[in-house]
Amino acid sequence: MSAPRRLLYSLAAAVLAAAVPTVADAQSDPAQVSSSGLQISQVRSGLVAAPDIRVTEVNGKQATLAGGYLGWLTDKRLLIGGAGYVLANRADDFRMQYGGGLVRWTFFADRPVAISTGVFAGFGTATIARPYGDLFDLPTAPAASAPAGRGPNGRIRFGTSPSADTPVRIHDDFTMAEPQLNIVWSITPWLRLDAGAGYRFIGNADLTERQLRGPSGSLALQFGAK
């Protein structure tokens, strides 16, 4: 074998020997950064579920809503799912429940504390009490021991018309949209504390829109999607 050929084989063997460790390292490392700055990493996605408590005001009263959300979290950033809530401290004239779709985007998702923003929109039903006069813009009658149209116990007497301050029960359907801003604290890779605030906008409810809309605060535990 000539000297030039031996030199060529020697150079090829040296290049191959240097390349083998590099290939092995690339196969063992799921995230690679080339000299040009190109980075390749695995997209982590999965299902998340979160029981949620919301504190708000409904019809001028403090209200607690119990519920939660369920969705698919892509790359720890984009959450698409659904949510539903029901008034916990409910009575015959103090009921509300609603549900719909949820879309959220998380900033600084790789940090222990992240910021998430999005919107929850859907529809629901409510039953609340309002003074009869508020519904028809009637003047409120002066205070009296037994207002006109009522018996001694305050109930409306049969065959009489309610006065302006007589409470009447209203059942109404509505649509809603609630923009949200949340802070998400990663306690473990699969458990996060999700605390936020939002404002509930109400539509298609002429008689109850003002009584059902308002700000809310929420606290949830989010499970899943490492």
Side-chain angles (χ1 to χ4, degrees):
M1 182 181 294
S2 63
R5 184 171 295 180
R6 286 198 299 270
L7 179 60
L8 181 61
Y9 286 163
S10 299
L11 289 176
V15 171
L16 181 61
V20 168
T22 303
V23 173
D25 291 342
Q27 291 177 344
S28 61
D29 188 0
Q32 295 297 318
V33 180
S34 67
S35 59
S36 63
L38 175 65
Q39 182 175 355
I40 301 175
S41 60
Q42 182 180 0
V43 176
R44 291 172 290 177
S45 304
L47 190 68
V48 296
D52 192 3
I53 295 293
R54 291 174 179 260
V55 178
T56 184
E57 188 176 275
V58 176
N59 199 23
K61 301 178 183 179
Q62 182 176 346
T64 301
L65 295 162
Y69 60 86
L70 178 69
W72 186 264
L73 184 63
T74 301
D75 197 24
K76 299 175 65 175
R77 288 173 171 82
L78 177 62
L79 174 64
I80 300 177
Y85 300 90
V86 61
L87 194 61
N89 50 328
R90 46 200 288 134
D92 290 342
D93 58 355
F94 193 58
R95 297 173 179 266
M96 184 170 74
Q97 48 275 326
Y98 57 90
L102 174 67
V103 177
R104 282 172 52 175
W105 180 266
T106 300
F107 300 90
F108 317 114
D110 295 326
R111 300 183 182 180
V113 178
I115 297 175
S116 178
T117 183
V119 63
F120 168 42
F123 54 90
T125 63
T127 302
I128 61 173
R130 290 188 59 190
Y132 181 79
D134 285 358
L135 304 179
F136 303 101
D137 295 327
L138 300 178
T140 303
S145 57
R150 295 191 189 185
N153 58 1
R155 296 182 179 179
I156 301 175
R157 292 194 298 264
F158 180 76
T160 61
S161 298
S163 62
D165 60 343
T166 300
V168 292
R169 189 180 302 157
I170 303 171
H171 178 81
D172 209 355
D173 300 326
F174 61 86
T175 57
M176 55 77 59
E178 188 170 2
Q180 300 174 338
L181 180 63
N182 296 63
I183 295 177
V184 182
W185 173 36
S186 296
I187 302 173
T188 71
W190 53 269
L191 176 62
R192 292 165 287 276
L193 183 66
D194 184 6
Y199 191 92
R200 187 176 56 257
F201 294 95
I202 300 295
N204 299 312
D206 294 337
L207 297 180
T208 59
E209 184 269 339
R210 185 167 52 88
Q211 287 72 30
L212 300 180
R213 71 186 183 193
S216 66
S218 64
L219 185 63
L221 279 177
Q222 188 183 98
F223 299 88
K226 291 183 178 182

